[in-house]
Amino acid sequence: MIKVLDKFIADKIAAGEVIERPVSAVKELVENSIDAGARSIIVEIRGGGKSYIRVTDDGSGIPAAEAETAFLRHATSKISGITDLDNITSLGFRGEALASIAAVSKLTMVTRTAETPAGVRLMLHGGRVISNETAGANTGTTIVIEDIFYNTPARRKFMGSDAREGSAIIELIEQYAICYSEIRFMMIRNGETIFSTSGNGDTLAAITKIYPDPDHAHLIPVTGDHVHGYISDPGTTRNTRKGQLFFVNGRLVSSQVIEKGLEKGYGGRIFSGFPIAVLFIEASPIDIDVNIHPGKREIKFLKADEIINDISAAVEAAMKMQEAVPAGIKEGHKPLTSSDLAEDVSYISERTLAESSGREEPVQKPVSQAVYTPQAESFSGEQSSVREYLMNLSRDDDRAHQTAQTDLPSGTRPVHQEVPSRPRPFEFDDLMYAGYIFNTYILMQTADAVYMFDQHAAHERVYYEKFVNAYSSSEQLPQPVLTPVTINVSADVYYTGREMLEPLHRMGFDISDFGAGSFIIRGVPSYVTQAEAVDFVRSYLEGADDTDAKNSKVIDKLIMKSCKSAIKGGEKLSELEIRKLINELAMCDNPYACPHGRPTFIRLTKYDIERSFRRK
Ligand code: ADP
Ligand code: MG
């Protein structure tokens, strides 16, 4: 029942949405359609929406007797009492949109409810009812807006070009189509269908339909208590936040709280830019305030910390998946089908097993077992462990394969049926050494992917965590060196460096001013060799010219120092050093990125490689 809100409640509602562009009108109409339970929404525009907008839905419709009431200010069927304001579950609630739109346009509404055989056609010009007549119509509502702002020349002047206004509308409908994947959306511009979605409820399908680029084809699912959605691996970023869509209880919002949770979850794995993220947050309406912004674009989380932690935990968990390792080949590919999977399983279980139990093939072994075995001089291990390893893998795949099939009626072969991607945790234990190229990149392989490690980035990460851990654990006793080492520096470094010794002491260096432009090191922390320590101290002192010696700055310096002291690309490592490096990396808190956020390793799936050779 559409009723005019009493003044007391109406005054509690934040200043109403201003219809300032065609897109603001479209937004209100589409939200009304969603609130009316539509399963299908068609949006048609001409002249960027300036000359013509039509929104057609198959929702509840409006009873003929209430049609005119809907256009009164503060007339709404969605809230009635003041307590409702604390518990808003609909997109609209102010009862102002239709009134505001009608006031600045020539508007026609045709609507019918399922209960009545005929509907009503209502026409308004500048908010004034021109005609109200019975009309044949489908159940649902169609609203046509012509010549928006025809009676407000000032607003008309501020509209952009047709192309600009039109794009804003298309972008809006794209966002709704993703958020409401269970609703069929169709976008028509100047008589041409721009896109349409299936409305089958598959969010990822809607995302890839709207954004048909490789970056969106590789999104990783995230799930938390309040959040679910899809995010990109940390190597796939955009220059702006445009790739980030946040929906809170079905409403597109911008939110620093969500941004913060996201950033925390990626935890320093972003080198530059903003990852792609389509996140749906469900929160109890009592815990959010949507009534703070006229466009409802900003909302307030009353339990912001809970939301931040939930998002960051969900993103962090997703970052531990194989798919979160930045891709080495960035080309769009079709999603895996179960027939692909079936092939993979047979490939692993039959061919590879046969090969590995066979003859001269150098047999490889998971690196975790190969490393730290003193007698292991090379990467060869026992065949049994390889077989065991492969069998485990193929068992794994069988299980996943079965799960994928369980939903299907018996007797149905799941050919061409799309299997939802099933992320698997990335495990260092699964890696087998596969080679070393350009004296820089270490290759490791699993059953279905090759991982390429950058020795410099990896070493930087290892050093960094060592330095940070040492720095933050207070008890760092220097190990005395046999012959104290003096470091001579230029006068400027000497004078600034003298002020910078305290953090070094905390890290476990016994270092002091030795006068005349020099320092003396009498002890070094147990976690570095003497040579490393001297390198580190020198580069530390040389970078010590800025005066902010406080904690966070020290961490920044540690980043710089770990970078300087780490082995460089092109410095050839022995197999033993490689193994040590990968193992140390595996033990890091965040093995995936160097302290600057560059990836320490990337992933090339067998599938990507086969695609490159046109085998798939
Ligand atoms: P609000 O959405 O804030 O309630 P509006 O001015 O947008 O205010 O709409 C007023 C009322 O008109 C709504 O509360 C609803 O009852 C009715 N209405 C508007 N659009 C539709 C639609 N597409 N289908 C069914 N009812 C609608
Ligand atoms: Mg509304």
Side-chain angles (χ1 to χ4, degrees):
M1 177 71 177
I2 305 178
K3 283 186 308 190
V4 176
L5 293 173
D6 70 37
K7 188 165 178 333
F8 178 70
I9 299 169
D11 288 347
K12 291 277 179 296
I13 291 174
E17 35 263 285
V18 191
I19 304 299
E20 51 188 10
R21 296 173 64 189
V23 65
S24 354
V26 174
K27 176 172 187 284
E28 295 301 331
L29 297 184
V30 168
E31 290 193 349
N32 280 346
S33 297
I34 295 169
D35 282 347
R39 311 301 307 161
S40 159
I41 298 174
I42 303 168
V43 178
E44 179 171 2
I45 57 169
R46 290 182 187 279
K50 292 192 273 187
S51 53
Y52 182 90
I53 295 169
R54 190 185 65 173
V55 175
T56 302
D57 70 51
D58 60 353
S60 64
I62 302 175
E66 294 173 23
E68 285 191 31
T69 317
F71 289 90
L72 298 177
R73 209 157 278 280
H74 297 308
T76 179
S77 57
K78 297 168 193 171
I79 63 170
S80 52
I82 190 70
T83 49
D84 287 355
L85 264 187
D86 292 331
N87 204 0
I88 293 166
T89 53
S90 54
L91 293 170
F93 56 87
R94 297 182 176 126
E96 287 187 312
L98 288 187
S100 312
I101 296 168
V104 295
S105 67
K106 298 168 186 165
L107 188 149
T108 306
M109 175 170 85
V110 179
T111 185
R112 178 169 83 82
T113 63
E115 290 77 37
T116 50
V120 59
R121 167 183 279 113
L122 186 67
M123 283 176 74
L124 299 97
H125 280 189
R128 224 159 25 86
V129 177
I130 300 289
S131 67
N132 181 345
E133 60 202 25
T134 306
N138 293 329
T139 306
T141 304
T142 296
I143 290 182
V144 175
I145 300 170
E146 282 163 296
D147 300 331
I148 193 166
F149 305 135
Y150 79 101
N151 54 354
T152 52
R155 283 243 188 105
R156 202 168 57 225
K157 256 207 332 254
F158 281 108
M159 282 196 286
S161 64
D162 288 8
R164 217 181 121 223
E165 297 299 334
S167 312
I169 293 171
I170 292 169
E171 189 184 343
L172 178 86
I173 303 307
E174 287 172 347
Q175 292 161 351
Y176 279 111
I178 288 172
C179 182
Y180 293 91
S181 58
E182 70 284 5
I183 299 177
R184 217 162 58 85
F185 279 88
M186 184 183 269
M187 177 73 229
I188 303 168
R189 182 185 56 186
N190 300 339
E192 184 199 352
T193 303
I194 303 293
F195 68 85
S196 63
T197 56
S198 72
N200 70 355
D202 182 340
T203 305
L204 190 58
I207 293 173
T208 50
K209 181 90 189 241
I210 303 279
Y211 303 113
D213 57 274
D215 291 349
H216 284 85
H218 292 271
L219 295 182
I220 311 157
V222 282
T223 325
D225 290 338
H226 297 287
V227 65
H228 73 275
Y230 296 90
I231 58 175
S232 62
D233 72 65
T236 303
T237 57
R238 299 277 159 105
N239 293 334
T240 68
R241 288 197 186 272
K242 258 195 102 172
Q244 301 187 344
L245 299 180
F246 306 143
F247 300 100
V248 175
N249 293 355
R251 206 184 283 282
L252 180 75
V253 300
S254 45
S255 159
Q256 289 184 358
V257 165
I258 300 174
E259 286 168 8
K260 215 183 266 175
L262 196 59
E263 198 180 310
K264 200 171 153 206
Y266 274 99
R269 289 180 65 180
I270 304 287
F271 177 54
S272 69
F274 302 96
I276 294 171
V278 180
L279 297 181
F280 298 84
I281 285 102
E282 309 295 339
S284 159
I286 311 177
D287 291 338
I288 53 181
D289 190 350
V290 290
N291 190 21
I292 58 167
H293 185 263
K296 308 185 197 102
R297 268 304 293 262
E298 306 260 334
I299 55 157
K300 193 169 151 202
F301 288 103
L302 304 182
K303 295 180 179 163
D305 283 347
E306 196 181 314
I307 298 292
I308 293 176
N309 292 336
D310 185 46
I311 294 174
S312 75
V315 171
E316 211 180 308
M319 285 302 107
K320 299 214 161 86
M321 298 295 140
Q322 296 177 10
E323 288 75 7
V325 177
I329 295 180
K330 291 238 167 126
E331 206 197 311
H333 66 55
K334 62 182 171 70
L336 268 185
T337 61
S338 47
S339 51
D340 291 333
L341 263 182
E343 232 172 76
D344 277 353
V345 172
S346 60
Y347 183 82
I348 295 163
S349 53
E350 290 156 36
R351 254 181 70 198
T352 318
L353 266 184
E355 267 169 31
S356 61
S357 58
R359 312 129 314 257
E360 324 83 357
E361 298 268 343
V363 180
Q364 296 163 339
K365 153 176 201 182
V367 73
S368 66
Q369 289 170 34
V371 175
Y372 284 160
T373 327
Q375 66 269 36
E377 281 308 318
S378 77
F379 277 92
S380 51
E382 294 117 37
Q383 297 192 353
S384 64
S385 71
V386 175
R387 199 173 304 131
E388 222 174 85
Y389 170 68
L390 288 168
M391 299 235 294
N392 278 337
L393 267 179
S394 56
R395 263 204 296 279
D396 250 25
D397 272 12
D398 277 343
R399 251 206 315 276
H401 190 52
Q402 278 159 15
T403 335
Q405 287 187 43
T406 42
D407 290 343
L408 296 166
S410 57
T412 317
R413 234 181 80 80
V415 200
H416 300 315
Q417 182 88 23
E418 277 183 16
V419 179
S421 59
R422 32 179 192 95
R424 278 182 291 180
F426 174 81
E427 301 282 2
F428 273 90
D429 283 0
D430 293 347
L431 300 177
M432 297 179 289
Y433 179 74
Y436 183 48
I437 54 176
F438 307 131
N439 289 341
T440 303
Y441 304 104
I442 300 157
L443 304 181
M444 294 278 171
Q445 75 172 86
T446 63
D448 54 9
V450 173
Y451 293 86
M452 196 185 280
F453 289 72
D454 175 330
Q455 68 183 31
H456 174 65
H459 203 210
E460 255 185 296
R461 164 54 61 181
V462 168
Y463 262 17
Y464 175 69
E465 292 205 5
K466 274 187 190 171
F467 291 145
V468 169
N469 288 340
Y471 179 68
S472 39
S473 65
S474 46
E475 283 287 327
Q476 276 302 325
L477 294 181
Q479 313 285 306
V481 291
L482 280 179
T483 328
V485 187
T486 46
I487 295 183
N488 295 308
V489 295
S490 60
D492 59 316
V493 169
Y494 175 67
Y495 285 105
T496 51
R498 284 200 303 183
E499 313 295 313
M500 294 292 294
L501 298 184
E502 161 57 20
L504 287 175
H505 295 156
R506 288 197 46 193
M507 280 184 253
F509 289 90
D510 177 355
I511 179 171
S512 42
D513 183 355
F514 203 47
S518 67
F519 296 95
I520 184 158
I521 300 176
R522 293 196 173 87
V524 302
S526 54
Y527 56 86
V528 285
T529 66
Q530 182 171 330
E532 283 170 344
V534 172
D535 267 3
F536 176 79
V537 167
R538 178 174 287 284
S539 47
Y540 178 86
L541 293 172
E542 283 170 358
D545 45 341
D546 28 289
T547 42
D548 31 28
K550 291 290 172 244
N551 271 338
S552 71
K553 293 295 166 189
V554 170
I555 297 280
D556 288 349
K557 289 204 187 306
L558 291 180
I559 292 183
M560 233 165 63
K561 302 325 160 205
S562 35
C563 177
K564 281 201 182 157
S565 4
I567 39 159
K568 302 283 177 291
E571 271 179 54
K572 189 171 183 344
L573 298 184
S574 70
E575 280 195 5
L576 230 105
E577 288 169 315
I578 290 176
R579 278 189 261 154
K580 181 160 178 279
L581 175 59
I582 299 294
N583 237 311
E584 286 184 329
L585 184 66
M587 289 187 287
C588 284
D589 284 339
N590 173 8
Y592 303 101
C594 84
H596 305 91
R598 276 191 286 268
T600 43
F601 55 101
I602 57 172
R603 175 170 175 257
L604 292 168
T605 64
K606 182 164 150 254
Y607 186 86
D608 289 331
I609 296 169
E610 288 178 342
R611 282 248 324 166
S612 303
F613 286 108
R614 302 287 183 265
R615 281 160 150 267
K616 288 256 153 112

